[in-house]
Amino acid sequence: MDHDKRSERRGVRWLLVVAAALVALVAATSAQGKSTKASADPVTLKVFDANNDPGPNAEQIELIKRFEAANPGVTIKRTSVPFNNFLNTVKLNLSSSDAPDVSDGNQGPQIDGALVKGKLITPLTDYAKKFGWNKLWTPTTLAPNTFSADGTQFGTGTLWGVSSRAEIVGVYYNKTKLKALGMGVPKTFADFEKILAASKAKGQPPFMIGNLDKYPGGHYMMTLADHYSSPAALRNWVFGRKGATFDTPAVRKAAAKLQQWAKAGYFENSFNSVKDSDAQARFAKGEGLFVISGPWVNGGFATGLKDNVGFFLLPPEVAGGPTKATGSVSLPIHISSKSKNPEMAAKFLNYLTTAEAANIILQKGDLPARPLTNPKVDPKSSIASIVAAWRKTSQSPNLVPYMDWPTPTMFDTLMGGVQSLMAGQKSPEDFTKSVQDDWAKYHKG
Amino acid sequence: MTAVSEPTQPPRPVTGRGGRVRRSARAGRAPGSPRWVGLLYLAPGVIAYVLFVLAPLGNNLWLSFFNWDGITTSTWAGLDNYSTVFHDSQIRGAFYHSLVLIFFYSVLPVILGLLLAATMSHMRVRGLATFRAILFLPQVISTVVVAITFQWLYADTGPLNQMLRAVGLGSVARGWLGDFDYALPAVGLIGTWISTGLCMVLLMAGVQRIPITLYEAARVDGCGAIREFFAITLPGLRNELAVVLTITIIAALRSFDIIYVASLGGPGDQTLVPSLVIYRDAFRNNAVGLASAIAIVLTVIILAVAFIVTRLVEDRAK
């Protein structure tokens, strides 16, 4: 009895202590709330991106720092993951209750289509008008970031994302080696093939490729398909327009050409077993004459080869003809439909497209999406050629979107198919047919 | 029967048996019948198992009957996903590849393990512990590290090909992981390298359990090494073999990490396996239903194989 009473009394005392502590805590937090309100409206933007490689990562950190400095009270909490993990997590991330305000996406039905369908991102139509994004780029260039409101039609309708960077696929070359062959930058496709043959005749396979990673060969295929086909036909196919097909004489010709290059020994032996990173590192050390790839490899090449690396777009059939290339604005940046600060998020998106931001991106060796007329770069550098190629192509109808976009499974079908094609395991006809079968299965009716 | 006595009676000197009888009588059960309270002891395990194994499995089965992209509302698909699993040539190919991998992940390591174990059964090997530790090492190393190491070993300019070229077999040398005919065996041999140590350690432990007198008797009867192996070692290892085969076959059927890192299922689809397709379809390709259906089929196959192996190999007389 006595014991019980004592413990009861002790309990009451504890209750009092806890209550007092709570009161103090509430008082403290409310006081804190008042004091911060007095200065500026604090806004925290959560940003989720795939800028995980050293260059893009450094540039993103710098851009965020500048944006925060220009907008007092705004804090950006950034999460960044490697691209492969990014593809696997972005949809889950945006559908969670704790979704980021601003998030990268990826063009095509695999990611963006699903995000639009799920109503997870906000349409940017009004912001595009407000900030003049429509004037900065042509509709062709903006098309990859558009989707119909129901998320079924790709490359048309509402604008859902803005891109800070861009990509264009062309030929990197080792300047000294090209000179040693007694050749200059080719003006026609025939000239280009002459260089390939000359290099091979000297015992050196002209192309450096690491196709164990599956996708590098895809860029050769896309570049050749651009060369032989009409950009409009390919664009319709990528965007899933009714009646479009990959199984055309022009694309078959491109596939046959790639296979012929492989058979002629223009790629080193067992190119399908070389790691992409190894191939890049070897080119940066001066091995190999050509690499067909995009701006993401430029940083590594420029670090290794300095001014000795150059860039050109695959030359046209006749000198002075239209230069066509695969490329696009890079990952679209979206605003989550759950964001509590969409205005601030849009302001951040717009900052990423300004000339100031573009020049920061450029300084890190990347290609900004904003077409720059006076880029602050060394005119002898490869990045200067890349910026010029982007400006020219992105303002023409000759920019062809990536051919792994049209269906969620196309990346695997196309890249696996190119591995088979290049190894001579699949005929050009079987290759184009298998790619078209994948397309037809998804775009029914 | 005195135990079932009135509580008013003075307590008897308690023996273990008396106490138990009394309690069961109070619960109104016959002595020796199960006490439900015993199930409580099982509860932690059962709850964890239901929550983390059965519930996800059930959920997975449920999902496999839908078309679902992972975000928007799903639509009923009935058995469509299963029909795709059995008719899609790419998915069927993936299952076929995993059958091939059984040879490399399971059959080959078990044969090697048996050879080693049989040799050890009559030899006194100096530094056995060290030897065993070295052979077991592949089990300990992260498979990602192993896969990357083998990428370099198999590379066109890698040590394997350098060796081949050095002995005049340059025409055989190739980039193994990029070769359409040899990529699957090449990936399989990585599995062999990993599993052999495990098989050997388990089988050697089994050999040491076989009474030495049996070997002596066999020798007295004039058995050679081969006869001895089939008459004594192999039958004596039945239970160990069942364990080793089950573990390694399951590893072969659900192999993922090595292939994901070493060859990405390529070149073409030459090394594509079901787990890789599941991963791809569920997380990237907006086909959660199809991925679930493949997962269910894979689970059923694994259960069936495990059941058959234990039935066939395990010594049920014991």
Side-chain angles (χ1 to χ4, degrees):
Chain A
M1 286 283 251
D2 199 329
H3 174 83
D4 276 351
K5 209 164 211 168
R6 210 182 312 144
S7 75
E8 197 178 281
R9 230 181 294 140
R10 203 187 295 154
V12 169
R13 213 180 306 149
W14 271 112
L15 213 68
L16 275 174
V17 170
V18 170
L22 270 177
V23 167
L25 201 70
V26 169
T29 44
S30 63
Q32 199 180 32
K34 253 175 231 150
S35 73
T36 39
K37 260 216 179 96
S39 62
D41 250 355
V43 174
T44 304
L45 282 184
K46 273 183 287 180
V47 174
F48 182 62
D49 67 53
N51 301 320
N52 202 256
D53 294 321
N57 186 45
E59 112 208 352
Q60 186 79 349
I61 290 171
E62 174 76 20
L63 291 170
I64 287 176
K65 210 170 73 189
R66 298 238 186 158
F67 181 75
E68 283 178 336
N71 296 278
V74 177
T75 320
I76 290 187
K77 266 172 68 182
R78 170 176 180 244
T79 313
S80 180
V81 293
F83 186 64
N84 253 320
N85 297 350
F86 166 80
L87 289 179
N88 296 333
T89 51
V90 61
K91 283 178 281 184
L92 293 172
N93 222 335
L94 276 165
S95 58
S96 83
S97 57
D98 193 31
D101 299 277
V102 173
S103 171
D104 284 359
N106 195 18
Q107 281 92 357
Q110 192 188 49
I111 305 288
D112 279 4
L115 294 178
V116 173
K117 258 186 211 165
K119 299 190 172 33
L120 297 176
I121 50 178
T122 310
L124 301 182
T125 325
D126 295 344
Y127 299 120
K129 236 177 263 161
K130 181 176 167 191
F131 294 114
W133 295 333
N134 297 320
K135 282 180 208 128
L136 211 49
W137 293 287
T138 65
T140 312
T141 307
L142 281 179
N145 288 350
T146 60
F147 246 107
S148 63
D150 60 355
T152 53
Q153 289 283 312
F154 177 31
T156 181
T158 316
L159 184 74
W160 297 92
V162 193
S163 309
S164 57
R165 283 170 291 132
E167 291 169 5
I168 187 161
V169 176
V171 186
Y172 289 88
Y173 68 104
N174 184 314
K175 289 182 184 168
T176 355
K177 288 206 163 160
L178 191 59
K179 217 177 268 167
L181 288 172
M183 312 258 194
V185 171
K187 293 272 184 296
T188 66
F189 187 73
D191 285 351
F192 183 65
E193 284 205 281
K194 252 181 236 160
I195 301 175
L196 299 181
S199 173
K200 180 65 190 170
K202 275 196 151 184
Q204 187 197 51
F207 291 117
M208 172 64 73
I209 190 174
N211 211 23
L212 181 61
D213 299 60
K214 274 196 164 181
Y215 68 86
H219 295 129
Y220 288 73
M221 182 60 221
M222 292 178 203
T223 303
L224 282 168
D226 297 342
H227 177 75
Y228 288 107
S229 325
S230 102
L234 287 172
R235 196 176 306 121
N236 282 340
W237 181 77
V238 171
F239 290 148
R241 300 287 174 266
K242 215 171 187 167
T245 176
F246 194 71
D247 199 12
T248 61
V251 180
R252 279 198 292 268
K253 215 167 151 187
K257 179 58 78 181
L258 182 59
Q259 195 167 54
Q260 184 201 325
W261 280 358
K263 275 194 187 137
Y266 290 173
F267 303 92
E268 66 179 327
N269 272 342
S270 43
F271 50 84
N272 270 340
S273 69
V274 180
K275 277 162 77 97
D276 181 36
S277 52
D278 288 352
Q280 284 186 33
R282 283 164 57 198
F283 187 79
K285 271 193 219 146
E287 254 186 88
L289 175 63
F290 292 139
V291 169
I292 297 188
S293 192
W296 56 89
V297 296
N298 184 61
F301 291 173
T303 312
L305 294 169
K306 305 280 184 304
D307 279 352
N308 198 20
V309 57
F311 178 90
F312 58 83
L313 295 179
L314 192 73
E317 205 62 37
V318 284
T323 36
K324 299 175 277 188
T326 291
S328 151
V329 285
S330 70
L331 302 190
I333 311 168
H334 302 300
I335 299 176
S336 161
S337 52
K338 291 174 185 155
S339 172
K340 291 194 181 72
N341 300 298
E343 293 295 323
M344 190 50 79
K347 206 171 165 188
F348 178 61
L349 259 53
N350 185 54
Y351 174 71
L352 297 177
T353 67
T354 56
E356 175 187 311
N359 272 306
I360 292 172
I361 292 170
L362 201 56
Q363 297 324 312
K364 307 282 180 197
D366 237 327
L367 175 63
R370 187 187 176 101
L372 290 171
T373 30
N374 278 315
K376 295 178 191 158
V377 282
D378 174 5
K380 274 192 305 187
S381 67
S382 49
I383 190 73
S385 312
I386 297 172
V387 171
W390 170 250
R391 196 180 65 237
K392 193 173 155 202
T393 322
S394 71
Q395 288 171 341
S396 80
N398 294 322
L399 188 68
V400 182
Y402 285 102
M403 290 163 210
D404 55 296
W405 284 352
T407 78
T409 46
M410 189 52 83
F411 182 88
D412 296 307
T413 308
L414 184 76
M415 303 309 182
V418 170
Q419 275 186 328
S420 308
L421 177 77
M422 290 175 72
Q425 295 281 327
K426 231 180 204 174
S427 69
E429 292 74 28
D430 288 347
F431 165 71
T432 51
K433 194 182 164 303
S434 68
V435 170
Q436 184 55 27
D437 283 350
D438 179 308
W439 190 92
K441 209 164 83 185
Y442 185 79
H443 299 285
K444 283 179 209 132
Chain B
M1 280 304 110
T2 43
V4 199
S5 48
E6 264 49 50
T8 46
Q9 273 190 350
R12 296 159 52 82
V14 180
T15 65
R17 192 178 157 71
R20 209 189 307 155
V21 171
R22 203 155 81 186
R23 246 180 283 142
S24 77
R26 214 183 278 159
R29 281 182 294 102
S33 73
R35 283 159 42 221
W36 291 109
V37 68
L39 289 182
L40 261 176
Y41 293 107
L42 276 181
V46 168
I47 289 172
Y49 189 72
V50 168
L51 268 181
F52 295 107
V53 179
L54 292 185
L57 196 65
N59 191 19
N60 192 44
L61 182 67
W62 177 243
L63 283 177
S64 70
F65 297 117
F66 288 90
N67 290 317
W68 189 38
D69 62 5
I71 299 177
T72 51
T73 334
S74 50
T75 53
W76 180 255
L79 292 172
D80 283 3
N81 287 328
Y82 288 94
S83 135
T84 309
V85 174
F86 292 111
H87 290 108
D88 187 298
S89 60
Q90 198 187 40
I91 299 175
R92 273 209 318 236
F95 276 102
Y96 167 72
H97 295 150
S98 65
L99 293 183
V100 174
L101 286 184
I102 289 182
F103 173 77
F104 289 100
Y105 275 60
S106 186
V107 177
L108 209 54
V110 165
I111 291 175
L112 289 173
L114 273 176
L115 276 178
L116 282 166
T119 327
M120 305 272 165
S121 64
H122 11 208
M123 262 186 250
R124 271 198 157 269
V125 182
R126 238 185 236 248
L128 183 65
T130 324
F131 182 58
R132 224 165 22 194
I134 290 172
L135 278 175
F136 195 69
L137 207 59
Q139 276 287 324
V140 184
I141 303 171
S142 147
T143 42
V144 175
V145 176
V146 172
I148 291 175
T149 313
F150 270 87
Q151 270 186 336
W152 275 307
L153 283 175
Y154 281 144
D156 192 31
T157 48
L160 178 64
N161 286 323
Q162 283 173 8
M163 230 154 67
L164 287 172
R165 289 189 183 110
V167 297
L169 285 171
S171 58
V172 186
R174 67 194 70 217
W176 297 93
L177 289 173
D179 190 284
F180 273 73
D181 298 321
Y182 292 100
L184 189 60
V187 167
L189 283 172
I190 306 179
T192 310
W193 186 78
I194 291 178
S195 310
T196 303
L198 175 80
C199 293
M200 181 214 57
V201 168
L202 282 178
L203 293 176
M204 250 164 40
V207 163
Q208 279 158 6
R209 211 176 37 84
I210 300 174
I212 197 85
T213 47
L214 286 180
Y215 286 102
E216 285 166 3
R219 232 160 276 176
V220 171
D221 287 348
C223 276
I226 292 170
R227 191 69 189 277
E228 188 184 283
F229 174 75
F230 284 105
I232 298 169
T233 313
L234 200 56
L237 286 176
R238 275 187 93 143
N239 289 326
E240 283 78 9
L241 276 177
V243 172
V244 164
L245 280 173
T246 313
I247 294 177
T248 50
I249 288 178
I250 291 176
L253 287 173
R254 60 170 203 198
S255 57
F256 172 80
D257 35 15
I258 291 175
I259 292 172
Y260 181 71
V261 179
S263 67
L264 283 169
D269 288 329
Q270 295 299 306
T271 58
L272 198 66
V273 287
S275 305
L276 215 60
V277 183
I278 294 170
Y279 174 78
R280 211 169 73 179
D281 283 351
F283 292 105
R284 285 205 182 163
N285 297 349
N286 307 338
V288 181
L290 179 60
S292 302
I294 303 173
I296 292 290
V297 172
L298 185 62
T299 310
V300 169
I301 293 179
I302 287 178
L303 285 177
V305 167
F307 181 77
I308 293 169
V309 167
T310 36
R311 269 300 153 101
L312 283 183
V313 184
E314 206 165 55
D315 187 2
R316 268 177 302 144
K318 281 191 179 172

